[in-house]
Amino acid sequence: MSAAAIRLLVLALVFAAVVLAIEGGMRWYRTQRGGARAINQRLRLIASGFDRPEVLARLRRDAWGDSIELPGFLAAPGHKLDGLLRSAAFGMSPGRVLFLMLLVVAVLCVLTLFGAAALGFAIGLGTVLMAAAFAVAAGMVLPLMIIAQRADRRRKKMAEQFPVALDIFVRGLRAGHPVAAALDLLTQEMADPIGSEFGIVTDEVAYGADLRDALQNMADRCDLDDLRMFVVSLSVQNETGGNLAEILENLSKVIRDRASMVLMVRALSSEGRMTATILTALPILAFVALFLLNPIFYLQVAGDPAFSLGFGCLIGLYLIGYVSIRRLVNIKV
């Protein structure tokens, strides 16, 4: 075969490869664009071929988690952790999360003590206290901080979406849709997280749950006062009658005015809240990071007789400061 024929063959192959690459890219773009129309997780699951019972089961598992009974002395913190996990849509029960955290804390504590012994440090009360503090900070405090941040971010997103969802709901009622159909409209028009949350409500109602109970469950999961006012409005209207569209339109105005007030308060208190975040998070992050990078820095002073008393007082002062700062910056509107 001549050199000219080989050159033409190579050019033809390059042209064919470019055409196939462009075609594949266009097909991928069309697929992604078509998938983007499913604006929340529930619609994406339905578009993937799951039927409504499977979608409801998966969304409820993500929202509520599975249940593990907690002993009596862990009931109160378990209840608070349960609310935090639901707000973050973490999808695990508080019992399982506590078990995993305690397991990680125990493993980290044992590994730290073995590492200290391998480095030649005596295992005394100060070393045990230091290892326990590091294990609790890395295995329990930091995960809880991450979950709390995720829950706070999700609540803020839902608070921003809820007035828009109310407007869509009111327009559906004014167009003549019943309440159930207007709620189903929200599941098709609203993005996550509120779109999938309303999807859980509509599926629960479709399978026999009472509407007020389903909405109350949603309000408990999301931990939003606006949603609780929405549930109360629907309950009162259901018992006394009246123009539901007008009631919810007024509620939407109240929620927007309240949101404006909240933003004003947050702007005025932003410096204090940032200071509180730094003063509470930075010591934990710095302690864990320094212990991981240079554990000898801490272990070489852990054997001092005054270390145990001083370190215990330090932890107590940190807890007092944490509670005091949180009470100062936790402004209710």
Side-chain angles (χ1 to χ4, degrees):
M1 184 178 292
S2 64
I6 294 175
R7 190 179 299 111
L8 289 175
L9 180 60
V10 171
L11 290 176
L13 291 175
V14 170
F15 176 78
V18 171
V19 171
L20 290 175
I22 294 175
E23 177 65 23
M26 292 297 294
R27 182 173 298 178
W28 175 83
Y29 174 75
R30 287 194 296 267
T31 302
Q32 292 297 111
R33 186 178 179 184
R37 294 173 184 170
I39 60 176
N40 56 55
Q41 183 185 4
R42 177 176 177 272
L43 295 181
R44 284 193 293 270
L45 291 174
I46 293 175
S48 300
F50 293 96
D51 55 15
R52 289 186 66 179
E54 293 174 335
V55 172
L56 177 60
R58 179 169 297 193
L59 292 178
R60 283 177 61 87
R61 184 172 63 250
D62 292 342
W64 291 92
D66 45 7
S67 60
I68 293 181
E69 294 296 331
L70 294 174
F73 68 96
L74 291 177
H79 180 71
K80 293 182 179 178
L81 180 60
D82 187 30
L84 185 64
L85 294 174
R86 290 179 182 179
S87 299
F90 200 71
M92 292 181 68
S93 69
R96 191 177 299 276
V97 172
L98 281 176
F99 173 76
L100 292 176
M101 286 181 177
L102 292 176
L103 179 62
V104 172
V105 167
V107 171
L108 287 177
C109 186
V110 171
L111 290 178
T112 303
L113 292 176
F114 272 112
L119 292 173
F121 293 99
I123 306 301
L125 178 60
T127 306
V128 173
L129 184 61
M130 176 64 69
F134 167 72
V136 171
M140 184 171 291
V141 177
L142 288 181
L144 287 176
M145 290 170 59
I146 294 173
I147 294 173
Q149 184 182 16
R150 176 178 172 179
D152 186 58
R153 185 167 59 247
R154 191 169 184 269
R155 279 194 295 264
K156 289 179 181 177
K157 180 65 175 177
M158 291 194 68
E160 294 173 359
Q161 290 179 310
F162 189 62
V164 180
L166 268 184
D167 292 341
I168 296 174
F169 187 73
V170 170
R171 287 198 295 268
L173 293 177
R174 293 191 185 280
H177 294 293
V179 173
L183 286 175
D184 188 64
L185 186 63
L186 296 178
T187 67
Q188 303 174 22
E189 298 294 334
M190 297 300 299
D192 279 333
I194 204 167
S196 293
E197 291 290 342
F198 274 113
I200 295 176
V201 172
T202 57
D203 288 340
E204 287 178 343
V205 172
Y207 291 107
D210 184 72
L211 176 60
R212 286 178 293 178
D213 293 339
L215 288 171
Q216 186 62 52
N217 290 337
M218 177 182 172
D220 293 338
R221 286 195 305 269
C222 302
D223 191 22
L224 279 180
D225 293 333
D226 297 342
L227 273 173
R228 294 188 179 95
M229 288 191 290
F230 175 64
V231 175
V232 170
S233 299
L234 283 179
S235 301
V236 171
Q237 191 274 338
N238 189 34
E239 294 177 0
T240 62
N243 190 343
L244 181 59
E246 184 177 355
I247 294 172
L248 295 181
E249 190 174 11
N250 294 332
L251 177 61
S252 177
K253 184 178 182 303
V254 170
I255 290 174
R256 281 189 165 88
D257 293 340
R258 180 173 174 272
S260 300
M261 181 65 68
V262 169
L263 292 176
M264 185 182 302
V265 171
R266 289 180 64 85
L268 293 174
S269 63
S270 58
E271 182 180 356
R273 289 186 294 104
M274 182 57 67
T275 303
T277 301
I278 293 174
L279 291 178
T280 55
L282 186 59
I284 301 296
L285 295 174
F287 171 66
V288 172
L290 285 175
F291 197 93
L292 289 174
L293 295 175
N294 189 17
I296 299 177
F297 177 79
Y298 291 101
L299 293 175
Q300 65 185 0
V301 299
D304 192 286
F307 174 80
S308 302
L309 179 61
F311 193 69
C313 293
L314 178 65
I315 294 175
L317 290 174
Y318 174 80
L319 294 176
I320 293 173
Y322 174 82
V323 173
S324 302
I325 290 175
R326 287 300 170 186
R327 288 186 176 181
L328 287 174
V329 301
N330 189 17
I331 303 174
K332 299 293 184 181
V333 180

